[in-house]
Amino acid sequence: MKDLENKNDLTFKASKDFIAKSYIKKDDYDTLYKESINDPEKFWGEMAKKISWIKPYSKVKDVSFQKNDLHISWFKNGILNVSYNCIDKHLKTKANDIALICEADEPGNSKKITYQQLHDEVCKFANLLKYNNVKKHDRVTIYMPMICEAVFAMLACARIGAIHSVVFGGFSPEALAQRLIDCDSKLIITCNEGKRGGKIIPLKNNVDEALKIKGVDVKNVIVFKHTSNDVNMEKQRDIYYHEVEKTLKKTCEIEPMEAEDPLFILYTSGSTGKPKGVLHTSAGYLVYVALSFKWVFDYKDGDIYWCTADVGWVTGHSYIVYGPLANGATTLIFEGMPTYPDASRFWQICSEHKVNIFYTAPTAIRTLMKAGNEYVKKYDLSALKLLGSVGEPINPKAWLWYYDIVGNKNCPIVDTWWQTETGGIMLTSLPGAHLQKPGSAGLPFFGINPILVNDSGEEVNDSGNLCIKDSWPGQARTLYNNHKRFYETYFQAFPNKYFSGDSALKDSDGYFHITGRVDDVMNISGHRIGTAEVESALVSSPYVAEAAVVSYAHDIKGEAIYAFITLMKDVKDCEEILKEIKACVKKEIGSIAVPEIIQFSPALPRTRSGKIMRRILRKIASNEYEDLGDISTLANSSVVADIIEVHKELI
Ligand code: PRX
């Protein structure tokens, strides 16, 4: 347990002034946390009063994790509308306050949207959806860059009760099509083109390609003209937003929604090649993200908050859009990337908009740390008062740089652990209540009861599989159209609790330290990518006979992809083939899934029953050949030495 002892060494505390002003102090946490665990119905019943209801709920919680009766329901019989809670609710007092700051890819181009303008734009958009026959519970896919129209589109769906499925703009047409087919989307909202790092992203062209794929049944495409270039438009099917905008009314009645009506589907990688459509519903999700946003980031009226995630991932949903807007906050959305035009872009934006709360991913922090302190020091970051991290473990070196150089030793850092499936933040150190420990995601949020279990499901104290006992309102309710897979993925391994798929350590102060995934999911630059998805993309190349994919530790990305490939008979490995294989992955999934290293091998290590031994490949990719464990069960143990030889030449 030496590892664990070391993890207790370094601690940091927010300033006296910060603590004095914070919502939750140590004693509040201790009392409220106990209450939230001992009597969740009372705790969440109270918290749910903070959002606006059309009709109040009659039962706070109705949950069973049992195989034949798996159901999760919060705030039963309550009626509400999420878009009302994010917009209309604030109009009386905040109509002219800024809801969104939209910062373009190129510096010097920002736009501010007040709550009144947000209302008008969302209504116009909702009316267009209605005009195109989108009804309550219909699925609408959003494939957009990081611009304010993406937020309008999401809230417009919520306003009329349509279920949005936002697909990350970096996904390929094939990946988009797969997600369109799975939830049977009838309409897509996109842009003519996106822009990122000075490069054009051909979103509408990608949509056109996706729509040619068998099984896609999209009737209409709404296209925002974001750049000046024209794109192919199909009469009848495609609608240019600017051509109809003038006809759209700036008011649109809200659709009354049941607490458990779906709000959105968000696809995420799992252990098989098919992404999972994680489904979140209306009331529980909103209550959870609204409360966690306010307390974790200690958001006060007037603060400028910036989360750098993409709206295509859950962080963008919960902590760019729904959490902040439910609190009447000012939330910044940035189209570009941290290193364009140079590595000072984040800091320049923080300084220009006087950002107070900044939430980003360890990969970005490591990239900017590598670029050098001078990029940070050029700008006045004195408005910053809190920093956040999400998506992957943050190594103490990056944490300390973030703390010292970006935060000027004056900003607490909240390292937040959570998942697409959890809806909102589950573990973190609350800034006014807890000491922060670099590398630890801290303590449970209210109502969250995390435990560690060994592989037999017995509760253990310090190291094991991270599970959550009992339910919380932000929890996903199912996988779209696949409740069986929902059960099998999250509730089967350890009955009666939610299994996160992560492993963790718990130190003597009760702080959690996430140690990684225990399933076949990789975390590349904070993006979740399944090994099976990449393998199936690799074998879609006519040159590839079989492929096994593992991840290895990477200085900047946290983890990077290493693929072992056996080529078809008579195919010679060469640069050309390598390029074509990489292009296949780009085509099937997108650039984020292209392996960093591809190694060709005449065979892959297999057990006698034919299973590829990934454990061995993982060790080789991580340069741990000395300790391969027992390889005597392999059907072809001689290939291992050859694979190691080639690996040594490659790196
Ligand atoms: O492995 C954990 C890692 O990201 C996974 C969830 O990925 P996703 O559903 O895409 O959501 C990412 C943003 C919430 C987790 O199972 N992860 C997330 N946050 C942290 C983390 N690992 C360590 N520390 C974190 N703070």
Side-chain angles (χ1 to χ4, degrees):
M1 279 294 101
K2 202 159 183 343
D3 259 11
L4 206 50
E5 282 158 24
N6 290 341
K7 292 192 183 300
N8 271 324
D9 287 355
L10 262 185
T11 55
F12 292 81
K13 196 174 181 177
S15 68
K16 277 199 181 118
D17 187 45
F18 188 101
I19 294 174
K21 290 184 191 146
S22 64
Y23 291 116
I24 304 291
K25 304 181 178 56
K26 169 101 179 58
D27 293 347
D28 304 321
Y29 177 81
D30 293 346
T31 319
L32 260 185
Y33 179 71
K34 263 191 213 120
E35 274 178 36
S36 73
I37 298 299
N38 295 341
D39 193 351
E41 308 226 355
K42 179 163 171 256
F43 177 83
W44 289 114
E46 275 306 307
M47 294 304 144
K49 291 182 187 152
K50 295 177 191 284
I51 65 165
S52 295
W53 297 86
I54 298 168
K55 187 184 140 220
Y57 41 91
S58 56
K59 185 166 177 51
V60 173
K61 178 183 170 212
D62 175 12
V63 172
S64 155
F65 289 168
Q66 298 297 317
K67 181 172 184 183
N68 296 322
D69 185 29
L70 172 58
H71 67 268
I72 300 161
S73 158
W74 285 84
F75 312 117
K76 215 176 217 163
N77 299 321
I79 308 269
L80 78 166
N81 182 281
V82 171
S83 145
Y84 178 90
N85 271 279
C86 291
I87 309 171
D88 310 50
K89 183 182 168 180
H90 311 305
L91 290 181
K92 260 199 199 132
T93 54
K94 294 188 167 195
N96 296 320
D97 287 6
I98 306 297
L100 284 175
I101 302 175
C102 312
E103 177 73 30
D105 187 40
E106 302 284 345
N109 278 310
S110 66
K111 192 155 84 177
K112 291 184 177 165
I113 310 284
T114 64
Y115 271 93
Q116 184 62 54
Q117 288 168 329
L118 179 64
H119 170 270
D120 297 354
E121 295 302 324
V122 168
C123 286
K124 277 168 25 188
F125 210 84
N127 284 323
L128 182 59
L129 292 177
K130 277 178 152 177
Y131 183 74
N132 282 285
N133 217 14
V134 176
K135 304 241 160 30
K136 188 172 181 171
H137 296 167
D138 282 351
R139 275 79 55 214
V140 170
T141 295
I142 299 176
Y143 184 62
M144 295 278 271
M146 289 285 290
I147 56 176
C148 52
E149 284 78 7
V151 181
F152 303 160
M154 290 164 79
L155 291 170
C157 290
R159 194 162 191 92
I160 64 166
I163 306 168
H164 61 69
S165 158
V166 183
V167 175
F168 172 55
F171 276 128
S172 68
E174 273 74 5
L176 172 63
Q178 192 180 25
R179 287 155 179 78
L180 287 165
I181 294 168
D182 188 77
C183 70
D184 194 17
S185 259
K186 293 283 178 262
L187 188 139
I188 306 189
I189 304 167
T190 190
C191 270
N192 60 336
E193 295 175 331
K195 268 171 121 184
R196 202 157 181 272
K199 291 200 185 109
I200 293 287
I201 319 234
L203 292 172
K204 175 61 168 58
N205 279 350
N206 287 353
V207 168
D208 288 349
E209 289 306 307
L211 265 50
K212 288 180 195 152
I213 292 171
K214 198 167 157 249
V216 177
D217 188 25
V218 167
K219 305 279 186 256
N220 291 108
V221 183
I222 297 179
V223 185
F224 278 106
K225 194 160 185 195
H226 178 53
T227 65
S228 55
N229 296 329
D230 272 319
V231 287
N232 167 54
M233 294 290 284
E234 304 264 323
K235 265 201 181 139
Q236 314 292 338
R237 188 193 73 184
D238 301 348
I239 302 143
Y240 246 144
Y241 184 74
H242 65 273
E243 289 176 359
V244 294
E245 190 180 356
K246 285 216 168 66
T247 65
L248 302 170
K249 278 206 320 206
K250 290 183 182 168
T251 52
C252 173
E253 286 292 301
I254 53 164
E255 184 72 34
M257 303 295 285
E258 299 274 347
E260 285 299 333
D261 272 334
L263 178 64
F264 65 84
I265 299 166
L266 186 55
Y267 286 91
T268 188
S269 294
S271 311
T272 74
K274 191 171 179 278
K276 303 177 287 195
V278 173
L279 184 122
H280 283 283
T281 55
S282 302
Y285 173 79
L286 186 70
V287 168
Y288 196 77
V289 296
L291 187 74
S292 51
F293 172 76
K294 183 169 174 175
W295 285 356
V296 173
F297 298 107
D298 206 50
Y299 185 88
K300 309 275 169 37
D301 263 358
D303 283 345
I304 310 288
Y305 162 87
W306 179 19
C307 164
T308 69
D310 194 286
V311 283
W313 310 117
V314 73
T315 311
H317 285 57
S318 303
Y319 299 112
I320 293 179
V321 182
Y322 292 112
L325 296 177
N327 281 283
T330 301
T331 172
L332 193 150
I333 173 168
F334 172 44
E335 186 182 10
M337 54 198 286
T339 48
Y340 177 82
D342 66 32
S344 67
R345 185 68 168 124
F346 272 8
W347 319 125
Q348 178 252 318
I349 297 173
C350 281
S351 155
E352 181 179 335
H353 296 289
K354 301 201 168 32
V355 171
N356 306 109
I357 303 165
F358 178 70
Y359 189 34
T360 194
T363 293
I365 299 168
R366 286 189 292 263
T367 306
L368 298 174
M369 173 173 77
K370 197 172 172 205
N373 298 357
E374 62 276 18
Y375 289 103
V376 191
K377 295 292 175 197
K378 268 202 304 206
Y379 290 99
D380 174 10
L381 301 183
S382 56
L384 284 175
K385 57 177 191 178
L386 182 122
L387 302 171
S389 169
V390 61
E392 39 173 329
I394 175 163
N395 49 312
K397 189 174 166 201
W399 196 103
L400 291 169
W401 181 82
Y402 197 28
Y403 185 81
D404 287 346
I405 306 300
V406 179
N408 200 20
K409 299 186 174 28
N410 194 33
C411 302
I413 298 181
V414 291
D415 178 357
T416 61
W417 175 85
W418 57 293
Q419 309 178 293
T420 307
E421 296 86 341
T422 70
I425 293 165
M426 303 287 278
L427 299 175
T428 189
S429 43
L430 286 177
H434 302 134
L435 294 175
Q436 307 128 50
K437 297 187 186 188
S440 165
L443 296 160
F445 190 69
F446 299 101
I448 305 304
N449 193 354
I451 55 164
L452 300 175
V453 300
N454 63 19
D455 289 344
S456 326
E458 291 146 358
E459 202 165 331
V460 288
N461 276 332
D462 46 20
S463 162
N465 301 296
L466 177 59
C467 292
I468 313 292
K469 260 186 180 172
D470 209 345
S471 180
W472 63 99
Q475 181 172 25
R477 303 303 196 250
T478 191
L479 297 177
Y480 189 74
N481 266 344
N482 206 343
H483 206 52
K484 183 167 170 279
R485 189 174 176 197
F486 185 57
Y487 174 79
E488 289 166 357
T489 313
Y490 306 106
F491 304 95
Q492 183 164 274
F494 306 114
N496 244 333
K497 36 191 106 52
Y498 167 82
F499 174 40
S500 66
D502 279 0
S503 56
L505 307 173
K506 191 163 111 177
D507 68 24
S508 51
D509 297 324
Y511 278 54
F512 286 86
H513 303 253
I514 306 296
T515 44
R517 301 281 311 182
V518 295
D519 53 10
D520 291 329
V521 173
M522 302 171 289
N523 191 330
I524 313 299
S525 304
H527 301 316
R528 229 164 108 169
I529 302 175
T531 51
E533 272 171 85
V534 184
E535 285 164 5
S536 109
L538 287 166
V539 296
S540 74
S541 155
Y543 305 118
V544 175
E546 63 175 356
V549 160
V550 297
S551 66
Y552 66 100
H554 187 275
D555 277 357
I556 301 289
K557 298 178 172 188
E559 285 176 44
I561 305 178
Y562 196 124
F564 294 87
I565 283 179
T566 304
L567 291 171
M568 289 291 195
K569 205 163 159 262
D570 301 331
V571 177
K572 272 225 141 332
D573 65 72
C574 61
E575 260 322 293
E576 264 321 287
I577 296 284
L578 192 67
K579 262 195 207 150
E580 294 209 19
I581 292 173
K582 285 187 175 173
C584 266
V585 181
K586 201 167 162 190
K587 176 170 171 286
E588 293 293 318
I589 308 176
S591 306
I592 52 167
V594 175
E596 192 84 9
I597 303 179
I598 292 184
Q599 171 172 345
F600 297 113
S601 169
L604 299 175
R606 293 184 174 286
T607 59
R608 294 209 168 88
S609 60
K611 237 178 114 188
I612 295 175
M613 285 282 260
R614 273 207 190 67
R615 176 175 62 78
I616 290 173
L617 296 175
R618 218 173 278 132
K619 291 220 158 170
I620 296 175
S622 307
N623 296 330
E624 292 168 14
Y625 345 101
E626 312 311 331
D627 172 29
L628 285 184
D630 182 12
I631 58 168
S632 63
T633 53
L634 288 181
N636 53 351
S637 54
S638 62
V639 301
V640 174
D642 297 342
I643 293 177
I644 294 175
E645 275 322 297
V646 179
H647 165 78
K648 283 183 183 162
E649 285 162 25
L650 258 181
I651 52 163

